[in-house]
């Protein structure tokens, strides 16, 4: 068999294993190992395996992942997510659809200390769903807003998938975080507009609550000072040159733990759950790293990445059409993979092809950063788009009385907002990378 055919068979086998509910790390590792041995030899595979795990897991930059995850766990166990929702609801809850808007706003703020889409959805749902249900909100709007709002967990820095992209493509993590800020804010505003329009045309979906006195609103706002302070310390430290991203993640984890202690809501059991949850998620992420490394090493032997890059460079079509096709691929892959698996598997293959294209006349580094933001937004769409959408499943597992098809109907207007935002950034890269000169002079 030709190397290209072996590469295609590896990819097909991986999808079959995923369909059989084999863990994603194993679904990538097994076909990759078989393909690597077929293309070289059994001894070559063993030689590669004896050093690949150490080479991957000893990368210093990877330590930023468990630190950001720990920061999110401390925020969850310390009740900071509840304070965020209560503050947002105090100011916008009296508007029709205001509690759904408050859920989106609290998800965006929680994303500033979390970095995970699924964790943001699960955490905010536990806080906001009972409140919206008690106020008579329709399950369609409630679950859709929570599922889509959860995607802000990876759009608002810090973002674990963006860290992974930076490591895979050897880009500056701080610059990627800066480039994600404006798209993240646009996404937040877009979701608020969607909720406002949906409630305007379907007022039965949401019932406005009674407005709170201004004294109560300011009191609720005081509860979010820990999140605001942590965000300023972490990202102010990064962009002022005081911290590296890894050091900032460590400082953020300590600061979040301290804030949870000051609030008095974190218990000894909560601390254990925070460390246990961080360890479990980190182990899963690192196992996916090893599985993707095996698959990508085998694909490198097939020379598929270089051939795809050469083929993309010879196509007589607009480069943006190729980028658009890649974005569609990510939405499709979102039906069977989470965001980390998609990026770990595809970036080593597709990134060289993108860098070979002349897109908007961008230089190498701005193009790499812009493409990373486009990928981040697209995998976010995959997290909520039918027929799967991992965030939808997470939210519906916590809101079991809402039929899944109702949630899918509810996410459609949000997906329109996502598509418009992605098209805007594809056509106008400055929306993402235009802020870089302000942070890095």
């Amino acid at each position: 068999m030709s190397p290209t055919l072996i590469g295609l068979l590896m990819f097909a086998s991986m999808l079959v294993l995923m369909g059989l509910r084999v863990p994603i790390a194993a679904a990538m590792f097994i076909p990759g190992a078989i393909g690597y041995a077929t293309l070289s030899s059994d001894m070559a595979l063993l030689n590669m395996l004896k050093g690949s795990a150490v080479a991957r897991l000893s990368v210093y930059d990877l330590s930023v992942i468990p630190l950001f995850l720990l920061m999110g766990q401390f925020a969850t166990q310390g009740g900071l997510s509840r304070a965020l929702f209560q503050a947002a609801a105090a100011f916008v809850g009296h508007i029709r659809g205001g509690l759904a808007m408050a859920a989106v706003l609290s998800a965006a703020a929680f994303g500033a200390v979390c970095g995970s889409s699924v964790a943001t959805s699960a955490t905010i749902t536990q806080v906001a769903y009972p409140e919206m249900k008690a106020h008579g909100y329709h399950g369609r709007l409630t679950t859709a807003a929570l599922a889509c709002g959860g995607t802000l967990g990876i759009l608002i820095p810090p973002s674990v998938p963006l860290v992974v992209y930076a490591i895979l493509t050897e880009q500056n993590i701080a610059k990627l975080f800066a480039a994600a800020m404006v798209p993240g804010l646009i996404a937040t505003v877009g979701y608020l507009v969607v909720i406002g329009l949906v409630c305007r045309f379907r007022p039965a979906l949401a019932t406005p609550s009674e407005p709170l006195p201004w004294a109560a609103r300011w009191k609720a706002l005081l509860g979010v000072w820990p999140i605001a302070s942590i965000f300023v310390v972490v990202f102010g430290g990064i962009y002022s040159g005081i911290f590296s991203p890894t050091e900032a993640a460590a400082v953020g984890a300590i600061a979040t733990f301290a804030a949870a202690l000051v609030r008095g809501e974190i218990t000894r059991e909560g601390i254990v759950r925070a460390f246990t949850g961080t360890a479990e998620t980190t182990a899963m992420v690192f196992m996916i790293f090893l599985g993707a490394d095996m698959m990508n090493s085998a694909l490198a032997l097939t020379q598929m990445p270089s051939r795809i890059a050469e083929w993309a460079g010879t196509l007589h079509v607009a480069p943006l059409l190729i980028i658009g096709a890649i974005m569609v691929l990510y939405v499709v892959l979102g039906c069977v993979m989470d965001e980390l698996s998609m990026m770990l598997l595809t970036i080593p293959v597709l990134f060289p092809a993108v860098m070979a294209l002349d897109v908007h006349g961008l230089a190498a580094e701005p193009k790499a950063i812009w493409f990373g933001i486009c990928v981040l937004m697209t995998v976010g769409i995959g997290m909520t788009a039918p027929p799967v959408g991992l965030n939808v499943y997470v939210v519906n597992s916590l809101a079991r009385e809402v039929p899944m098809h109702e949630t899918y109907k509810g996410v459609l207007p949000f997906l329109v907002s996502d598509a418009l935002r992605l098209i805007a950034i594809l056509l106008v890269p400055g929306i993402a990378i235009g802020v870089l000169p302000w942070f890095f002079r």
Side-chain angles (χ1 to χ4, degrees), residues 67-79:
L67 289 171
F68 276 136
L69 291 173
L70 182 60
M71 187 164 71
Q73 286 285 342
F74 282 146
T76 301
Q77 300 299 331

Side-chain angles (χ1 to χ4, degrees), residues 9-87:
L9 287 175
M10 286 191 300
F11 195 79
S13 301
M14 179 197 68
L15 294 178
V16 170
L17 290 174
M18 288 180 179
L20 295 174
R21 302 185 69 82
V22 173
I24 289 175
M28 290 191 284
F29 186 90
I30 294 170
I34 295 173
Y36 194 98
T38 302
L39 292 163
S40 54
S41 65
D42 293 344
M43 188 57 65
L45 173 63
L46 293 175
N47 286 332
M48 193 274 291
L49 289 177
K50 71 180 183 181
S52 62
V54 174
R56 167 56 71 188
L57 301 184
S58 61
V59 176
Y60 172 74
D61 287 344
L62 278 179
S63 59
V64 75
I65 294 176
L67 289 171
F68 276 136
L69 291 173
L70 182 60
M71 187 164 71
Q73 286 285 342
F74 282 146
T76 301
Q77 300 299 331
L80 296 179
S81 57
R82 186 180 303 107
L84 289 171
F85 177 73
Q86 290 172 347

Side-chain angles (χ1 to χ4, degrees), residues 32 59 62 128 165 172 296 306 351 389:
V59 176
L62 278 179
Y165 177 87
N172 185 300
N296 288 320
S306 58
F351 183 73

Side-chain angles (χ1 to χ4, degrees), residues 62-405:
L62 278 179
S63 59
V64 75
I65 294 176
L67 289 171
F68 276 136
L69 291 173
L70 182 60
M71 187 164 71
Q73 286 285 342
F74 282 146
T76 301
Q77 300 299 331
L80 296 179
S81 57
R82 186 180 303 107
L84 289 171
F85 177 73
Q86 290 172 347
F91 280 87
V92 299
H94 61 283
I95 304 171
R96 188 173 294 277
L99 291 181
M101 294 180 184
V104 169
L105 289 171
S106 57
F110 189 74
V113 294
C114 181
S116 167
S117 173
V118 171
T120 301
S121 289
T123 301
I124 299 301
T125 297
Q126 294 176 56
V127 174
Y129 178 72
E131 194 74 17
M132 288 191 277
K133 181 182 177 182
H135 281 78
Y137 275 57
H138 195 282
R140 177 191 301 180
L141 174 64
T142 301
T143 54
L146 291 167
C148 294
T151 62
L152 298 173
I154 60 173
L155 281 176
I156 304 291
S159 167
V160 172
L162 212 53
V163 171
V164 171
Y165 177 87
I167 293 170
L168 292 176
T169 60
E170 300 181 350
Q171 298 300 313
N172 185 300
I173 295 175
K175 290 184 178 181
L176 282 163
F177 281 174
M181 287 183 182
V182 173
L185 292 174
I186 293 174
T188 304
V189 173
Y191 290 163
L192 297 179
V193 170
V194 167
I195 293 170
L197 291 175
V198 167
C199 292
R200 180 178 179 84
F201 292 104
R202 298 287 301 276
L205 295 178
T207 304
S209 56
E210 291 295 322
L212 293 178
W214 278 101
R217 297 184 190 185
W218 294 121
K219 182 178 178 180
L221 189 62
L222 288 176
V224 305
W225 70 263
I227 296 290
S229 301
I230 292 166
F231 186 85
V232 171
V233 169
V234 171
F235 291 99
I238 290 175
Y239 296 116
S240 64
I242 299 174
F243 308 135
S244 69
T246 304
E247 293 165 344
V251 170
I254 294 172
T256 306
F257 178 62
L261 287 177
V262 170
R263 286 180 56 84
E265 293 194 26
I266 192 167
T267 62
R268 181 177 299 178
E269 292 75 16
I271 295 172
V272 172
R273 285 194 298 270
F275 280 105
T276 303
T278 300
E280 291 174 348
T281 306
T282 301
M284 178 195 69
V285 170
F286 283 9
M287 286 300 295
I288 293 174
F289 259 111
L290 297 179
D293 282 348
M294 185 72 260
M295 174 64 79
N296 288 320
S297 296
L299 289 175
L301 292 181
T302 68
Q303 298 184 342
M304 285 183 65
S306 58
R307 289 177 180 174
I308 291 174
E310 293 173 0
W311 172 72
T314 60
L315 289 176
H316 298 292
V317 296
L320 277 180
L321 289 179
I322 299 175
I323 302 293
I326 292 173
M327 299 300 105
V328 172
L329 172 65
Y330 277 116
V331 173
V332 174
L333 289 177
C335 295
V336 293
M337 296 184 184
D338 58 65
E339 66 265 38
L340 289 180
S341 302
M342 282 189 276
M343 296 180 75
L344 285 166
L345 179 65
T346 60
I347 291 300
V349 177
L350 298 176
F351 183 73
V354 172
M355 297 306 290
L357 299 174
D358 180 15
V359 185
H360 295 297
L362 294 173
E365 185 185 46
K367 179 165 56 177
I369 292 173
W370 166 76
F371 179 66
I373 301 304
C374 291
V375 170
L376 188 71
M377 290 194 300
T378 309
V379 298
I381 294 173
M383 297 294 287
T384 55
V388 183
L390 185 57
N391 274 17
V392 173
Y393 275 83
V394 169
V395 171
N396 273 85
S397 69
L398 299 170
R400 296 183 181 276
E401 62 270 26
V402 181
M404 189 76 74
H405 69 271

